Amino acid sequence: MKKTIITLGLLMGTAGFIFAQEKQTNGTAKDSTNKTKDIEEVVIIAYGAQKKGEVTGSVGRVSAESFKDRPIARVDQALTGQIAGVKTRSTTGKPGEPLEIRVRGSASISASNSPLYVVDGMVVDDMANVSPDDVQSIEVLKDAASTAMYGSRGSNGVVIITTKKGASGKPSFTFSQYYGVQTIEKKLDIMNSAEWIDYATEAINKRWEALAPGHSASDSYETRANYFNLANTYDYNLANITYMIDPRWGTNQVAYIDWQDAFYRPAAIQNYQLAVRGGNKNMKYAISAAYFDQEGLALNTGFNRFNLSAAIDVNISDKWKAGITLRPSYSQSYGAAVDGKDNAAHKMLSMVPVAELSAGLYTNFWKNLQYRWAGSTQSPIGILENTTNDTNEFRLLSSLYMSYDITPDLNFKISGGATNNFNTNNGYTPTFNLVTNIPGQVSIASRRTINYNRYLGEALLNYKKTFGNHNIAALAGYSAENYRTTSQYNRNKGFANDDLKTFNFTQSASVLNSEYTASEWMLLSYFGRVNYDYKKKYMLSASIRRDGSSRFGWNNLWGTFAAFGGAWKIDEEEFLKDKSWLSNLKLRYSWGENGNNSIGEYRAFGTLAGGNYSFGGNLSNGLIPNTIENPDLTWEKTQSSDFGLELGLFNRINFTADYYIKKTKDLLLQEPILATTGYTTMWRNVGSVQNKGLELELNTKNLTGAFRWNTSANIAFNNNKVLQLGNNNKSIPTGFSDLTNIIQVGEELNSFYLYEAIGVLSTADINNAGVAKTNGAIAGDVKYRDYNGDGKIDENDRHIVGSPTPDYYWGFTNTFSYKGFDLSLFFQGQKGGYSYALLGRAIDRTSMGTTNNVMGNWANRWRSDENPGDGKTPRLDGTTGSLLDTRWLYDATYIQLKNVTLGYNFPQELVEKLKISNLRLYVSLENVWRKDHYYGGYNPESVQSDGTDYGAYPNAKVYMMGLNFNF
């Protein structure tokens, strides 16, 4: 709470500074032109646009100006820290991967919590095939009044991307380019070679001393070799590593390796775009081409994308208009899987930092034997360099429309569009172990193709009319949408050799997988909206939408969703109209209901799976039921209320506050059912979740004139609570193996449900019957809180210890400009919430042995009562390694200097001599600095929705330089 007060204090302090400046410079009459500048700004809403001052809902906006000089690969990265109530999270630093976006918290358990994405009116699955350079603005619709026009899909918010269009005039060419270098944001603290040798030596000596009476830790390698009757004492491949120490440790006879330095490398990132825009009164066009290339931090990984975009709008006559947009893109991502359980990063961090000199980085790879004191994991460097994992994707977003003005006030528009994606992944893992195999013998080839096609048709009728002081805008529409996807997957093993790396599966020794799937769904919708205002002071809006979805049961295909909103422009009242210090004062309220149908196909219907039948003692292939139908399955429904305040002072301060209450009921949930039915689960509508929150935004012009200083700040608080779970409110275990998280009534979604570690057991604790312990506990084991007070540690002592949801998150940007120079500083972060480091646990447990590396904290482990270490890290041969406890639960609070950009716009007289219209040079630093408490992984944001992290790809610091010019 202290940090919250400090943050709000900074905002108010900024406003106070501006107030003081304003009193010195603005004592004259109110400037009505400046007053209306901000509120006359047009924002994009559902199926149209509206002046900002007339909007009754909660809409956030990000302009292209705010991210034009940043090295972002995807449009969603532009939302980070920019809009209150919009939380983005970089769950992986892998090049080309999307961010996780949440608008006003998570409300669903089994259905999607992601917002709906709309590009120039077309509903799309994500924003992957839109180049950030083509974007004009991004609007986020947050409350029910603004999202209800999208009905059954608006409950998680709507993100609307508007691209740049052509304008009347001579062709204008724009060229933009940047090139940069990426480095790893931070390394994970794991043991170096000296620490690991000390760790392994202690473990081996303990086992040697316990093996037989008279054994001592000081016994030589020769003594131990003779004990085991080894034929050749110095053939280290024969050494019994359980009891024998490598005598070469600490000498130059073995290689000492920092695997992270070898695994991650400085990597290039670059982007180029050329666009031309222009037109005349009858036709406008915008055409662009862009190329983006990002090498991955991990060896032999990366992503590149080529975008084309063409948009043409034509005035056929005074009444007829038409337009077409084509937006193809082609992308490639490559490299072995790095993040996740048992993938390359996990294996790399587990590698012993010692190897044979002859093998080095390629230990246990090709014909190199494994280092005797290491595990069987093969060189992660060799794996990265020799594994094929290439994904090629072609996307085409196309749309067209025709518009007819029936009367000056009435317009009819028909439009259609398609999203066509063709995705192919080719994989090849050669035979890495050539000591016991020959090339190709155990090689694995795979190929997966996914094709999906989405078609949308809409008809809209728009009516606008002014009657004196009364303004009415009405819309009615019909929409039909169809989506079909097909997938084919083949995976074979054993080939003649590894030379060709082809995918001729007929030449393989065995078939591991051969699958083909197809699915389809449809959505039909009828919708309407009316906006009314009186004298631009009193505004009302109402909307309704009826959707029919093939994803639901026959009894509940259709759902109806309605919303209304109202706003009062108080500053337009006579008693405030002439106040020079007040440029805007507006109150808003909205209420509405939205739906969520994002659960996948055929959940409401009984489906079949392959099975065998016996006829006369012989087995025959057939089909058997494998899911139970629910003809009553229907939408999740979210009802929300929003109270908004907008305040503008001196034409230099703009403040917005929103308080919302959002309740989601009829949750789509795969609920356990009685096994006597023949099934274990069934899709039902059960339970409810509530989100309540406060959002604050402040935009200020602190200094004007030759030296300008602007500030933009936002902060959002959200409280999440489960209200109901089925008829009996039975808790639902979730997370890793259903052992780390829980969904429980009265608590936040996916709260952490763990054993609470409170220290390390001493010998005195072991001998004290009053100290609760696990069965078989020994001195140096983890000490746990006896939560239920029964004197023992068991399953009943697991309890809720926190949740993944932060208390609040914020963004803070300052921009300075003087003459041709400008500087931007962008900070963002969050307070509260927790991350669970499954990766940390995977290399941080007791009794793991010494053939893998471990976290650096093990250098401060418990060794004895006299040498207890840091008081948190147990003995290396303890007994509690199987328990999931809070030793790997980290506070997810962080503060980050996300971006620093310094730019220079060259003088116009110089630019004109070069025959161009403007010239800009800039340097930009991304992910500059971060302060956090997360030591179990690379990034506190790199977690799944349940808050667990199993080794996500690290984020990159980016140092880049760019150039923009027009001609």
Side-chain angles (χ1 to χ4, degrees):
M1 190 64 188
K2 182 179 178 181
K3 290 187 177 181
T4 306
I5 295 172
I6 292 173
T7 303
L8 293 175
L10 286 172
L11 301 184
M12 296 305 295
T14 302
F17 171 77
I18 298 170
F19 178 76
Q21 294 291 313
E22 190 67 26
K23 289 188 69 175
Q24 297 175 17
T25 60
N26 186 18
T28 58
K30 192 176 191 178
D31 186 339
S32 60
T33 301
N34 288 336
K35 173 191 173 182
T36 59
K37 182 178 179 181
D38 289 333
I39 61 175
E40 292 299 305
E41 177 186 3
V42 174
V43 296
I44 304 301
I45 59 173
Y47 298 101
Q50 201 170 18
K51 292 180 180 179
K52 185 177 179 181
E54 300 171 5
V55 174
T56 60
S58 182
V59 181
R61 187 174 192 269
V62 178
S63 69
E65 188 69 19
S66 66
F67 58 86
K68 65 181 176 62
D69 294 337
R70 290 180 56 196
I72 60 175
R74 296 172 53 97
V75 176
D76 46 16
Q77 292 173 285
L79 291 173
T80 299
Q82 299 298 314
I83 300 175
V86 180
K87 178 75 171 71
T88 67
R89 187 161 58 180
S90 176
T91 60
T92 176
K94 182 181 178 182
E97 290 298 297
L99 299 184
E100 177 190 271
I101 299 177
R102 297 290 180 264
V103 178
R104 293 186 168 179
S106 298
S108 186
I109 296 175
S110 298
S112 172
N113 283 293
S114 296
L116 182 71
Y117 300 105
V118 180
V119 177
D120 290 336
M122 277 289 298
V123 175
V124 296
D125 293 310
D126 58 31
M127 298 177 274
N129 65 324
V130 179
S131 170
D133 291 307
D134 285 331
V135 174
Q136 181 67 39
S137 68
I138 308 170
E139 271 85 6
V140 180
L141 314 184
K142 298 187 287 184
D143 70 326
S146 57
T147 63
M149 285 296 284
Y150 291 105
S152 63
R153 296 172 295 175
S155 62
N156 297 318
V158 180
V159 178
I160 300 178
I161 298 95
T162 304
T163 61
K164 297 172 182 177
K165 300 296 190 293
S168 296
K170 295 188 299 182
S172 172
F173 292 85
T174 302
F175 177 78
S176 60
Q177 175 270 337
Y178 64 74
Y179 182 90
V181 176
Q182 309 163 91
T183 62
I184 189 170
E185 190 176 33
K186 78 169 185 179
K187 290 172 63 178
L188 203 60
D189 180 21
I190 57 176
M191 280 190 169
N192 59 33
S193 56
E195 291 169 335
W196 177 83
I197 288 172
D198 175 70
Y199 173 79
T201 298
E202 179 189 346
I204 292 171
N205 282 339
K206 278 189 172 185
R207 293 192 291 264
W208 171 253
E209 290 174 330
L211 182 63
H215 283 186
S216 169
S218 62
D219 289 341
S220 67
Y221 177 84
E222 292 81 5
T223 299
R224 302 185 193 200
N226 290 332
Y227 180 86
F228 293 108
N229 298 316
L230 293 178
N232 187 340
T233 303
Y234 292 100
D235 184 351
Y236 300 115
N237 290 319
L238 299 177
N240 187 324
I241 65 169
T242 305
Y243 304 103
M244 298 170 63
I245 295 169
D246 189 344
R248 299 170 295 172
W249 287 345
T251 73
N252 60 4
Q253 299 177 50
V254 289
Y256 305 105
I257 300 172
D258 185 323
W259 285 103
Q260 291 186 91
D261 282 350
F263 192 86
Y264 299 114
R265 44 107 191 244
I269 181 172
Q270 55 190 317
N271 184 76
Y272 307 88
Q273 200 218 32
L274 178 64
V276 57
R277 300 178 181 91
N280 52 44
K281 67 176 183 178
N282 293 322
M283 185 184 74
K284 298 179 179 64
Y285 59 87
I287 302 171
S288 67
Y291 175 72
F292 174 82
D293 182 38
Q294 182 180 13
E295 292 181 347
L297 293 172
L299 292 171
N300 198 33
T301 63
F303 171 82
N304 57 69
R305 182 187 63 231
F306 182 71
N307 291 82
L308 286 173
S309 177
I312 300 174
D313 295 280
V314 179
N315 294 329
I316 301 173
S317 68
D318 291 341
K319 293 188 175 184
W320 283 97
K321 295 180 182 179
I324 184 170
T325 299
L326 296 174
R327 208 179 301 280
S329 69
Y330 178 76
S331 65
Q332 296 177 306
S333 61
Y334 55 91
V338 172
D339 44 0
K341 185 179 185 300
D342 297 328
N343 284 329
H346 181 186
K347 292 178 178 178
M348 175 270 296
L349 293 166
S350 302
M351 292 294 289
V352 166
V354 181
E356 297 289 350
L357 281 174
S358 59
L361 294 175
Y362 298 94
T363 182
N364 196 26
F365 201 79
W366 296 142
K367 293 186 178 182
N368 295 321
L369 295 173
Q370 73 181 72
Y371 177 58
R372 192 71 182 88
W373 281 264
S376 59
T377 303
Q378 294 174 309
S379 164
I381 306 302
I383 290 173
L384 285 183
E385 291 178 344
N386 293 277
T387 297
T388 298
N389 181 32
D390 298 338
T391 299
N392 302 318
E393 184 167 39
F394 174 77
R395 294 170 175 247
L396 176 62
L397 177 62
S398 54
S399 63
L400 55 86
Y401 73 89
M402 291 197 70
S403 171
Y404 177 68
D405 292 331
I406 302 172
T407 70
D409 305 317
L410 185 64
N411 172 267
F412 177 72
K413 179 181 179 181
I414 187 169
S415 61
T419 304
N420 306 103
N421 289 21
F422 308 95
N423 182 295
T424 301
N425 174 268
N426 292 321
Y428 192 83
T429 304
T431 301
F432 293 141
N433 183 351
L434 298 183
V435 176
T436 57
N437 301 292
I438 62 174
Q441 186 174 12
V442 293
S443 300
I444 295 177
S446 65
R447 182 179 181 88
R448 184 189 297 275
T449 60
I450 302 174
N451 300 329
Y452 55 97
N453 303 283
R454 190 173 200 155
Y455 301 99
L456 173 69
E458 291 181 335
L460 301 175
L461 194 63
N462 276 286
Y463 176 75
K464 288 186 178 182
K465 188 69 174 178
T466 297
F467 305 92
N469 292 320
H470 304 275
N471 300 283
I472 295 177
L475 176 148
Y478 169 79
S479 173
E481 188 172 351
N482 175 267
Y483 178 101
R484 178 176 174 82
T485 181
T486 59
S487 173
Q488 186 168 356
Y489 180 55
N490 297 93
R491 182 168 170 263
N492 288 30
K493 180 178 181 180
F495 293 87
N497 56 59
D498 286 322
D499 295 333
L500 298 179
K501 298 184 180 180
T502 58
F503 303 94
N504 189 344
F505 295 112
T506 61
Q507 297 178 0
S508 65
S510 61
V511 177
L512 301 180
N513 300 87
S514 181
E515 305 167 3
Y516 177 85
T517 60
S519 62
E520 186 175 13
W521 62 267
M522 293 187 66
L523 184 73
L524 298 178
S525 308
Y526 305 89
F527 50 90
R529 178 178 63 207
V530 176
N531 292 328
Y532 165 79
D533 75 72
Y534 175 71
K535 291 185 175 181
K536 304 295 182 181
K537 290 194 296 185
Y538 313 110
M539 287 149 278
L540 295 172
S541 68
S543 63
I544 189 168
R545 177 165 175 143
R546 184 162 173 80
D547 288 315
S549 173
S550 64
R551 283 175 165 165
F552 295 120
W554 299 117
N555 298 335
N556 282 310
L557 289 174
W558 291 89
T560 303
F561 306 93
F564 67 85
W568 177 22
K569 284 279 290 161
I570 305 175
D571 64 303
E572 292 296 331
E573 297 291 352
E574 292 300 324
F575 60 91
L576 288 176
K577 196 169 186 178
D578 296 325
K579 303 298 181 183
S580 62
W581 53 268
L582 184 65
S583 49
N584 182 31
L585 179 59
K586 178 181 174 184
L587 292 178
R588 293 183 278 101
Y589 173 75
S590 66
W591 177 93
E593 185 174 67
N594 299 108
N596 190 344
N597 70 342
S598 54
I599 57 169
E601 288 70 61
Y602 316 123
R603 300 294 192 260
F605 308 104
T607 57
L608 302 174
N612 295 319
Y613 290 87
S614 176
F615 294 98
N618 298 316
L619 289 178
S620 299
N621 294 328
L623 297 172
I624 59 174
N626 72 328
T627 62
I628 189 170
E629 69 174 359
N630 180 1
D632 296 319
L633 192 71
T634 190
W635 283 269
E636 285 186 356
K637 300 178 181 67
T638 298
Q639 293 182 353
S640 64
S641 299
D642 183 279
F643 305 83
L645 166 68
E646 298 175 14
L647 175 64
L649 300 173
F650 311 112
N651 298 306
R652 295 175 66 181
I653 301 174
N654 286 292
F655 173 75
T656 302
D658 279 273
Y659 175 76
Y660 62 88
I661 301 175
K662 188 169 77 168
K663 182 179 178 181
T664 303
K665 61 181 181 179
D666 294 335
L667 295 177
L668 291 162
L669 186 63
Q670 201 167 9
E671 188 180 35
I673 59 176
L674 293 175
T676 54
T677 62
Y679 304 91
T680 57
T681 61
M682 178 181 182
W683 281 91
R684 286 177 170 167
N685 294 100
V686 293
S688 62
V689 172
Q690 178 178 270
N691 283 277
K692 295 193 296 184
L694 175 66
E695 300 166 356
L696 306 174
E697 292 190 358
L698 179 67
N699 293 283
T700 63
K701 300 175 183 177
N702 307 325
L703 293 174
T704 58
F707 180 77
R708 296 189 298 276
W709 170 26
N710 295 337
T711 296
S712 175
N714 67 82
I715 188 170
F717 306 81
N718 183 72
N719 177 264
N720 174 275
K721 182 186 290 186
V722 179
L723 302 179
Q724 184 185 1
L725 288 173
N727 296 324
N728 57 8
N729 285 328
K730 184 178 179 180
S731 300
I732 303 172
T734 61
F736 177 66
S737 298
D738 289 340
L739 293 174
T740 57
N741 302 74
I742 196 168
I743 299 174
Q744 183 172 303
V745 171
E747 304 292 341
E748 296 187 53
L749 275 175
N750 290 305
S751 293
F752 290 107
Y753 190 67
L754 303 162
Y755 294 92
E756 185 179 355
I758 57 175
V760 178
L761 291 167
S762 65
T763 302
D765 291 330
I766 295 297
N767 296 328
N768 185 350
V771 176
K773 298 174 281 291
T774 56
N775 288 334
I778 57 178
D781 270 341
V782 179
K783 187 175 184 178
Y784 294 107
R785 184 178 304 282
D786 183 13
Y787 184 72
N788 65 351
D790 64 356
K792 60 182 179 181
I793 302 299
D794 57 19
E795 171 69 20
N796 298 316
D797 291 303
R798 292 172 65 206
H799 62 282
I800 291 175
V801 291
S803 84
T805 306
D807 300 327
Y808 61 86
Y809 45 95
W810 54 272
F812 189 70
T813 303
N814 281 284
T815 56
F816 308 89
S817 61
Y818 179 71
K819 295 186 176 179
F821 291 94
D822 56 79
L823 174 67
S824 172
L825 301 172
F826 169 34
F827 289 86
Q828 59 101 205
Q830 68 178 41
K831 171 65 172 64
Y834 289 91
S835 299
Y836 196 73
L838 288 170
L839 170 68
R841 178 181 180 271
I843 56 176
D844 188 28
R845 301 196 308 276
T846 62
S847 303
M848 291 180 60
T850 59
T851 58
N852 294 298
N853 203 0
V854 293
M855 299 288 289
N857 57 276
W858 282 89
N860 295 315
R861 62 191 174 276
W862 187 95
R863 299 170 192 255
S864 66
D865 288 333
E866 296 73 31
N867 187 5
D870 60 13
K872 298 180 291 184
T873 305
R875 61 189 294 158
L876 56 80
D877 54 350
T879 67
T880 59
S882 63
L883 301 183
L884 289 122
D885 62 48
T886 56
R887 287 201 307 116
W888 305 287
L889 186 68
Y890 294 91
D891 180 0
T893 298
Y894 72 89
I895 179 173
Q896 182 178 35
L897 177 54
K898 186 70 174 177
N899 180 265
V900 177
T901 298
L902 175 64
Y904 179 68
N905 296 296
F906 285 82
Q908 195 62 34
E909 55 270 22
L910 173 62
V911 170
E912 290 175 356
K913 291 180 180 179
L914 298 175
K915 306 299 182 181
I916 57 179
S917 56
N918 65 64
L919 176 62
R920 175 174 172 79
L921 181 69
Y922 64 92
V923 292
S924 182
L925 310 179
E926 191 83 1
N927 297 327
V928 184
W929 169 85
R930 182 197 295 267
K931 175 64 176 175
D932 60 48
H933 310 288
Y934 190 55
Y935 308 109
Y938 287 110
N939 179 357
E941 293 183 283
S942 297
V943 294
Q944 303 306 308
S945 58
D946 58 14
T948 59
D949 171 21
Y950 218 131
Y953 200 114
N955 281 349
K957 290 184 179 180
V958 185
Y959 308 85
M960 55 157 281
M961 177 177 288
L963 177 71
N964 302 332
F965 62 86
N966 292 356
F967 59 95

